[in-house]
Amino acid sequence: MDGGRSGGHSGVMQRIEPLAGDQFAPLTTYLNTASSGLLPARSAAALRAAVEESGSYGTMGLDYFGPAAAARTAFARLIHVPPERVAIGGAVAVHVALIAGSLPEGAEVLVPEGEFSSLVNPLAVRSGIKLRTAPLAELADAVRPGTALVAFAAVQARDGRIADMDAVREAARAHGARTLVDATQAAGWLPLRAGDFDYLVCGAYKWLLCPRGTSFLVCGGEGPESDGLEALHAGWVAGADPMEANYGPVQRLAADARRYDEPHAHYSYVGAEHSLALLNELGVETVYAHDLALADRYRAGLAERGHPPVPAPGSAIVSVPGLGDAAERMEAAGVRVAVRAGHLRAAFHLYNSSDDVDRLLELLE
């Protein structure tokens, strides 16, 4: 990805308007998507309608599986895989635990140093796994014979660094290792092809603008026989016919990745259906260009002010060492950012504009 889209003085750069402006009207200058995304108006309206419906039809609604199926298909479209390769759930850690539980005894797993806990913890607590770490920039070189799985985030939550996914994938293939990519900080703005990896997991409440309780697991193989996974938490929704899998041991698991589904939170997927539809309408490439233009505008302004950010070219997340103390002043001024490891972290997404960037830079004066 080419991060070099900025140029010139931030004060004379072209004005950038929000995408889908009719769907968002935040009361703050919201630059904290890396923590949690804003809910589009259409998703909020659908949620309100679902809650009203529950007063007469229960909390599974009139159609429990419909919104989840639509969300599954929409997510698959965003990351270029068939819907049959996508499982749904409520948290990334549960998906990772399923993968960890399916690894053989003694398997070596390689992860970057300081990786986000939802990816690392399920692997770390699985008895019999040998967990090894390496710096993110050296991850591909750290793959070795005997490595069973390389698990890493496409984009680092702490500072926005983008992993060299091609290099890691090729190194893993050369040594017969599988790959697990966490796309939580990438899907929705960074173009991805999930089929390039053995597994992809994604929490959808950040850049995908879905309610919390929406997450996806993608299997890159051709079917359950090649996934290398056991349906360890198979409930009734994992059955080939869920309505026949309610009692006793399931006789037939779903023939595709739905066998790895969790019983989903209905409201979360009601909202997710509409949020993911919006992103597909806009197109990830369009969102990528917009987000990166804003991030690069901010980087240019930081350079003018003598505040070099953590090097993360091509990223929509910009993290600046030494400015963590500014967050309180930002909050008082109605600007939402985050502090991670003492760095001031800003995340730029489709509802942001150049005015938001300029407001943030003004507060750093």
Side-chain angles (χ1 to χ4, degrees):
M1 298 298 176
D2 179 10
R5 295 176 180 265
S6 62
H9 189 284
S10 61
V12 298
M13 293 177 71
Q14 183 178 3
R15 180 178 172 82
I16 304 168
E17 299 290 350
L19 301 176
D22 62 327
Q23 290 295 310
F24 303 97
L27 300 177
T28 63
T29 300
Y30 194 81
L31 299 168
N32 199 22
T33 300
S35 294
S36 177
L38 297 182
L39 198 65
R42 63 169 70 174
S43 305
L47 281 167
R48 285 190 287 268
V51 171
E52 285 294 318
E53 181 182 89
S54 296
S56 297
Y57 297 99
T59 56
M60 292 174 69
L62 280 169
D63 183 7
Y64 179 62
F65 288 106
R72 189 195 313 266
T73 298
F75 179 75
R77 179 182 171 193
L78 279 171
I79 51 145
H80 307 287
V81 294
E84 295 77 22
R85 307 309 304 137
V86 179
I88 64 173
V92 161
V94 177
H95 299 311
V96 178
L98 173 68
I99 297 168
S102 300
L103 290 171
E105 190 76 13
E108 179 185 278
V109 178
L110 176 65
V111 300
E113 294 175 352
E115 186 58 89
F116 195 74
S117 60
S118 293
L119 184 62
V120 174
N121 284 351
L123 298 163
V125 301
R126 159 73 203 279
S127 61
I129 283 182
K130 301 172 183 176
L131 192 65
R132 188 164 60 90
T133 64
L136 180 66
E138 302 171 16
L139 196 64
D141 292 335
V143 184
R144 63 190 184 188
T147 301
L149 178 72
V150 187
F152 63 102
V155 177
Q156 289 291 298
R158 186 183 312 193
D159 52 29
R161 287 176 298 152
I162 301 176
D164 189 343
M165 289 178 275
D166 291 342
V168 175
R169 182 185 67 243
E170 292 309 312
R173 286 178 176 172
H175 292 289
R178 292 181 183 262
T179 48
L180 163 58
V181 174
D182 183 351
T184 300
Q185 294 290 358
W189 72 268
L190 184 67
L192 295 168
R193 298 192 67 86
D196 291 343
F197 306 97
D198 295 287
Y199 312 111
L200 180 144
V201 294
C202 182
Y205 67 95
K206 298 179 186 284
W207 303 88
L208 293 175
L209 314 177
C210 297
R212 285 212 66 144
T214 311
S215 66
F216 299 96
L217 163 65
V218 182
C219 300
E222 297 301 320
E225 296 77 16
S226 62
D227 290 339
L229 299 180
E230 299 179 34
L232 297 175
H233 54 59
W236 66 284
V237 298
D241 182 348
M243 302 315 297
E244 293 180 355
N246 286 333
Y247 305 100
V250 61
Q251 298 302 310
R252 292 184 303 120
L253 287 169
D256 55 22
R258 191 170 58 77
R259 63 172 52 198
Y260 312 125
D261 277 10
E262 298 175 67
H264 59 273
H266 178 59
Y267 298 144
S268 295
Y269 280 87
V270 166
E273 173 186 359
H274 296 275
S275 295
L276 295 170
L278 173 63
L279 286 165
N280 273 308
E281 290 166 16
L282 294 171
V284 173
E285 292 284 354
T286 297
V287 177
Y288 171 73
H290 174 273
D291 291 6
L292 196 57
L294 292 173
D296 282 347
R297 184 187 187 99
Y298 181 47
R299 290 185 178 98
L302 289 169
E304 293 172 0
R305 290 158 177 80
H307 298 302
V310 174
S315 182
I317 299 173
V318 183
S319 186
V320 189
L323 292 184
D325 291 345
E328 187 174 344
R329 184 170 74 253
M330 303 283 181
E331 184 73 22
V335 177
R336 301 301 301 271
V337 289
V339 178
R340 296 292 184 269
H343 301 351
L344 187 73
R345 187 188 71 182
F348 302 93
H349 205 16
L350 59 92
Y351 32 67
N352 294 127
S353 69
S354 53
D355 288 346
D356 295 339
V357 178
D358 296 344
R359 175 67 172 144
L360 178 58
L361 289 169
E362 288 171 7
L363 289 170
L364 291 177
E365 293 289 351

